[in-house]
Amino acid sequence: MSFIKRILVTGGAGFLGSHLCERLLERGHDLICLDNFFTSQKSNVAHLLDRPNFELIRHDVTLPILLEVDEIYNLACPAAPGHYQYNPIKTMKTSVIGAINVLGMAKRCRAKVLQASTSEVYGDPDVHPQVESYRGVVNPIGPRACYDEGKRAAETLFMDYHRSHGINIRIVRIFNTYGPRMHPFDGRVISNFIRQALEGEDITLFGDGAQTRSFCYRDELVEGMIRMMNGTDDFVGPVNLGNPEEFTIRQLAQLVIELTGSTSKLVKRPLPEDDPTQRRPDITLARKHLGWQPAVPLREGLAKTIAWFRAVSIADYRPPTPNY
Ligand code: NAD
Ligand code: UDP
């Protein structure tokens, strides 16, 4: 038997959060979307506003709030390097104080709470592909640390609330995800390359483009998150969610040029400090416990994402920070 649940999605107006809200609303749940719109905008959820089971709250997750809910998906956090490095102290506060606030709410409401963690907890990994038992190589004082260490501290808080207070938690470690509704000015590699290719600008390859990433299509990632939330209570994670197909950044650039039919040229730019050289998830645990594995090839997901970028007016988007 399935029940209507009261669900809170923090960061619910963002790229992943807004799609998650759509999927949960389709299932008939009562949804509260909470966001401070730092890296998103109301237009991402405007089409949901007249639904009777949808509520939007402008709020900062670092501040306490009293809500009555059964489940919480905690996604509030800037995710793109240019965004999280813009105000690194605020990024750390969002991860840590935000986690404390949602865990406190889960404790008071006896709610289940899922943390959107990240492959960045592995840092610049020397184990490849990355398994969940791997503890990572993170520079605690570098420019990415506000995000990486913030997310690691949030995982610690989730596990300690689970062990100390019996809070029903889930932790997913999300690897690079892309798709429609990415912020065109988030500075992430896929949004940059598509925007540059469509506008005929140079495509900015950081370093020599030999570094690798594994890209998961948005819809499949969100399906994995929902499965994890609804999975058995004895599997709290962390679990890797991502597409194990690995590409160099140069290969990605060439694919974007091919699919857009662009005449843009590749230009080299300096590699950012602490940029991970390789990244690919081992998804054995997700396959075993969630029956989840991605099936959308990069070429197909990119074609859908490019179609979305062509359909929207880039001028309607405000760069959240100057770092893109
Ligand atoms: P996003 O920037 O589009 O979404 C984050 C949302 O959180 C935005 O709507 C933003 O306005 C909101 N937010 C930021 N700080 C807040 C605060 N203090 N209070 C309230 N709201 C706040 O990014 P996304 O890609 O949708 O990422 C969502 C989550 O998934 C993040 O927690 C991110 O760390 C995690 N994640 C994403 C990826 C990815 O590739 N997309 C990879 C790893 C982890
Ligand atoms: N990257 C790039 N050109 C860009 C943006 C990013 O070559 O215009 C590279 C970046 O150096 C990194 C990879 O693409 O190696 C993925 O970067 P992104 O910011 O999307 O995500 P993350 O580094 O967090 O995985």
Side-chain angles (χ1 to χ4, degrees):
M1 199 195 295
S2 69
F3 296 96
I4 291 179
K5 289 180 278 202
R6 297 162 303 176
I7 304 179
L8 169 66
V9 178
T10 76
F15 159 55
L16 293 179
S18 58
H19 186 64
L20 175 63
C21 288
E22 287 168 350
R23 297 281 286 267
L24 295 170
L25 285 170
E26 273 165 22
R27 295 175 181 215
H29 297 301
D30 264 343
L31 214 78
I32 303 173
C33 167
L34 179 155
D35 208 296
N36 71 351
F37 301 115
F38 170 40
T39 57
S40 60
Q41 47 199 46
K42 202 174 158 188
S43 59
N44 281 352
V45 288
H47 60 296
L48 306 176
L49 288 175
D50 59 1
R51 304 263 189 111
N53 52 342
F54 182 77
E55 188 179 347
L56 176 62
I57 301 178
R58 182 189 284 264
H59 183 79
D60 193 304
V61 80
T62 60
L63 301 170
I65 185 168
L66 278 181
L67 298 168
E68 311 305 321
V69 292
D70 304 308
E71 282 180 0
I72 306 165
Y73 289 83
N74 187 37
L75 274 65
C77 188
H83 292 169
Y84 67 66
Q85 290 171 24
Y86 175 69
N87 185 345
I89 297 166
K90 178 64 195 261
T91 299
M92 181 65 99
K93 283 183 183 172
T94 296
S95 273
V96 174
I97 303 175
I100 291 170
N101 283 335
V102 296
L103 286 160
M105 186 187 294
K107 184 164 173 243
R108 183 176 55 79
C109 299
R110 297 182 201 285
K112 201 192 303 183
V113 55
L114 177 145
Q115 168 66 0
S117 191
T118 170
S119 53
E120 284 282 326
V121 300
Y122 302 122
D124 188 2
D126 52 14
V127 165
H128 195 70
Q130 291 80 56
V131 283
E132 290 84 348
S133 54
Y134 173 55
R135 293 177 189 178
V137 180
V138 174
N139 174 2
I141 55 169
R144 297 174 86 102
C146 59
Y147 182 71
D148 301 9
E149 297 290 15
K151 289 284 189 181
R152 286 170 70 99
E155 286 198 10
T156 305
L157 283 160
F158 268 69
M159 289 307 300
D160 283 335
Y161 268 76
H162 176 59
R163 284 187 289 253
S164 305
H165 298 300
I167 306 299
N168 197 355
I169 64 152
R170 303 285 188 272
I171 299 173
V172 296
R173 290 182 179 157
I174 302 170
F175 284 64
N176 297 62
T177 302
Y178 69 100
R181 222 179 276 147
M182 292 187 89
H183 198 297
F185 297 105
D186 66 11
R188 288 190 258 203
V189 69
I190 288 195
S191 23
N192 261 12
F193 284 4
I194 294 178
R195 192 172 43 77
Q196 290 163 341
L198 292 181
E199 291 175 4
E201 291 174 8
D202 288 343
I203 295 201
T204 50
L205 210 55
F206 296 169
D208 59 5
Q211 70 271 35
T212 68
R213 294 292 185 275
S214 308
F215 300 100
C216 187
Y217 189 62
R218 176 199 69 177
D219 300 33
E220 300 193 298
L221 191 285
V222 166
E223 170 65 23
M225 283 172 83
I226 295 173
R227 284 196 196 187
M228 184 59 180
M229 179 64 106
N230 292 301
T232 55
D233 289 345
D234 59 356
F235 181 60
V236 303
V239 64
N240 288 338
L241 294 181
N243 190 322
E245 244 197 302
E246 187 178 356
F247 295 85
T248 66
I249 296 305
R250 182 177 285 277
Q251 285 174 321
L252 173 71
Q254 284 156 348
L255 191 52
V256 169
I257 288 176
E258 180 198 324
L259 293 173
T260 52
S262 173
T263 53
S264 293
K265 302 272 172 293
L266 301 189
V267 293
K268 287 191 186 173
R269 293 280 178 269
L271 189 68
E273 191 180 339
D274 290 340
D275 198 282
T277 47
Q278 53 179 4
R279 180 181 291 159
R280 172 154 64 99
D282 180 310
I283 59 163
T284 308
L285 281 183
R287 280 199 184 100
K288 178 173 167 214
H289 291 276
L290 311 176
W292 179 87
Q293 62 178 23
V296 177
L298 182 58
R299 174 177 284 276
E300 186 184 320
L302 274 183
K304 289 183 185 169
T305 310
I306 291 167
W308 180 81
F309 270 79
R310 284 191 198 277
V312 297
S313 162
I314 303 280
D316 290 343
Y317 289 84
R318 181 186 58 85
T321 74
N323 305 338
Y324 64 89

